[in-house]
Amino acid sequence: MKYISRNLFNRIAAVFITALLCLNLSGCSLLGSKEEELTPEQRSYLAMSSYEAEYLYPDPYSVSNHLCVTSTDVSISGYEQNGVSGATGLFDVTNEKVLEANGIFTKQYPASTTKLMTCLLALKMCDMDEIVTVSPNLENLDKDSSVAGLKVGDQVTVLDMLYALMLASGNDAALALAEHIAGSEESFAALMNDTAEELLCTGTHFVNSHGLHDEEHYTTAYDLYLIFNECIKYDTFNTIIDTPSYTGTITRENGSQVLKEWEATNYYFKGIVDLPSNVTVMGGKTGTTDEAGACLVLLSRDNSGNPYISVVLNADNKTSLYREMTELMEAIPES
């Protein structure tokens, strides 16, 4: 990868050059901080962002990589972090600002928000009409897995598999996509980690495509923002997450075809919780395990259509998760 293969001199030079350029930048507090004030994780973000800017953004005013960046917790008027979650973040995509941040660099278990990376890799590497065949390895999935109703030998298009992945949160769909793309889940996890590094996710390590708990499978709220921010560049992704339910076509091993309806796990779409009053919820990805708590990453838009990414991780329960997410989104200022 290009980040690893460059020599150390160039990397140090890139950091030094960007540090000088930061005198001319605004809205980029991490790059403007003194090194001794930063945590090791934040210094890593600084180095990688600078390195990326040196080679991909020759315009010095683009060294922020068009990302929302902060070095400290950030508070937004109208919202108070109440301690029921492990991390919260609110990111103004248009203006490249972190509006709220609490624990966004802290290690968290992602549960099924992992599937954002699985989806991203499928969008990047597959044609949507490719056929995915479910392998016998399906039988090795944990019996507590959330599944989309797939069976060994089933054939499904990549597009329909993505609906099964993102709406029904099917671990069976995640495994099938991983094997289709990389040959094995182990190889796919390596690909996930390579892609995470390319996206500057310095607090993330994946070992599977679905998010079932593993001590070595972790991320941060900020890294999930980075991954989600990349996902929303794809129109297909935005269409999928904005769909409350979808009927996919499965070709069984015997050649017969069945229709399968997958519904979004998002409580806003299911009508279980009230929608926020000031924004339109466009969709996102849920995740829940005992170790990860209740997690949610969402895209919303204000009345002018400006996009915002909000993240809540490790909430005590789903009631607390959606209450906190609603309060977070309702703090978005009027445009």
Side-chain angles (χ1 to χ4, degrees):
M1 296 174 60
K2 57 179 174 292
Y3 304 121
I4 303 301
S5 61
R6 303 280 188 179
N7 62 46
L8 181 61
F9 174 81
N10 285 341
R11 187 178 181 115
I12 295 172
V15 177
F16 177 74
I17 292 169
T18 303
L20 295 176
L21 292 171
C22 283
L23 297 175
N24 297 320
L25 296 173
S26 61
C28 189
S29 59
L30 178 57
L31 295 178
S33 301
K34 296 179 180 179
E35 184 173 357
E36 62 269 20
E37 296 174 350
L38 303 180
T39 67
E41 291 85 359
Q42 292 162 353
R43 283 195 293 271
S44 179
Y45 278 109
L46 172 60
M48 294 192 75
S49 295
S50 304
Y51 195 48
E52 176 87 353
E54 164 79 352
Y55 294 103
L56 298 185
Y57 297 97
D59 177 359
Y61 293 96
S62 298
V63 296
S64 66
N65 295 333
H66 308 290
L67 297 173
C68 307
V69 185
T70 185
S71 62
T72 63
D73 286 349
V74 178
S75 298
I76 185 173
S77 177
Y79 169 79
E80 183 176 351
Q81 217 278 345
N82 53 28
V84 301
S85 64
T88 56
L90 178 62
F91 305 91
D92 180 342
V93 177
T94 300
N95 294 307
E96 301 168 18
K97 291 183 179 180
V98 179
L99 300 181
E100 199 279 337
N102 186 286
I104 62 172
F105 299 113
T106 303
K107 175 182 174 180
Q108 305 285 347
Y109 297 119
S112 284
T113 61
T114 297
K115 295 178 175 107
L116 291 168
M117 178 61 85
T118 303
C119 184
L120 175 61
L121 285 171
L123 291 167
K124 288 168 65 74
M125 302 183 70
C126 300
D127 292 330
M128 293 298 99
D129 58 357
E130 287 180 28
I131 300 298
V132 179
T133 301
V134 179
S135 84
N137 290 325
L138 174 66
E139 304 295 342
N140 298 328
L141 274 179
D142 191 294
K143 300 304 180 183
D144 294 329
S145 289
S146 60
V147 293
L150 302 177
K151 298 179 180 180
V152 174
D154 282 352
Q155 293 189 324
V156 184
T157 65
V158 168
L159 179 62
D160 281 10
M161 198 68 84
L162 288 179
Y163 277 100
L165 176 81
M166 296 299 294
L167 270 60
S169 199
N171 290 1
D172 45 0
L175 176 60
L177 284 165
E179 293 183 333
H180 176 77
I181 292 170
S184 69
E185 189 159 43
E186 293 75 17
S187 295
F188 187 75
L191 186 59
M192 295 170 78
N193 290 324
D194 287 346
T195 305
E197 186 175 353
E198 290 173 2
L199 295 176
L200 315 181
C201 300
T202 64
T204 291
H205 183 260
F206 295 117
V207 300
N208 62 57
S209 59
H210 39 69
L212 282 177
H213 181 70
D214 187 294
E215 291 293 329
E216 297 303 315
H217 188 96
Y218 52 83
T219 189
T220 68
Y222 186 75
D223 286 358
L224 282 176
Y225 149 71
L226 292 173
I227 295 167
F228 196 83
N229 188 60
E230 188 70 15
C231 286
I232 63 175
K233 296 177 182 178
Y234 293 84
D235 291 340
T236 299
F237 178 84
N238 294 320
T239 298
I240 291 171
I241 65 171
D242 192 31
T243 303
S245 66
Y246 178 85
T247 301
T249 301
I250 301 174
T251 301
R252 299 296 190 191
E253 193 171 22
N254 62 9
S256 64
Q257 287 192 331
V258 296
L259 300 180
K260 186 73 174 180
E261 184 177 11
W262 296 301
E263 294 185 352
T265 56
N266 182 331
Y267 275 17
Y268 292 115
F269 285 179
K270 293 171 75 72
I272 296 175
V273 297
D274 292 335
L275 292 165
S277 59
N278 59 320
V279 298
T280 300
V281 176
M282 307 306 296
K285 188 69 197 76
T286 59
T288 307
T289 64
D290 291 343
E291 297 83 2
C295 307
L296 183 59
V297 185
L298 280 182
L299 173 68
S300 60
R301 294 186 183 274
D302 64 19
N303 293 333
S304 298
N306 298 311
Y308 297 82
I309 295 172
S310 47
V311 183
V312 177
L313 298 182
N314 194 21
D316 294 342
N317 51 59
K318 290 183 180 179
T319 299
S320 297
L321 171 70
Y322 283 92
R323 181 173 63 247
E324 186 144 25
M325 181 62 80
T326 296
E327 291 174 356
L328 193 60
M329 289 189 290
E330 289 186 339
I332 293 173
E334 294 185 7
S335 58

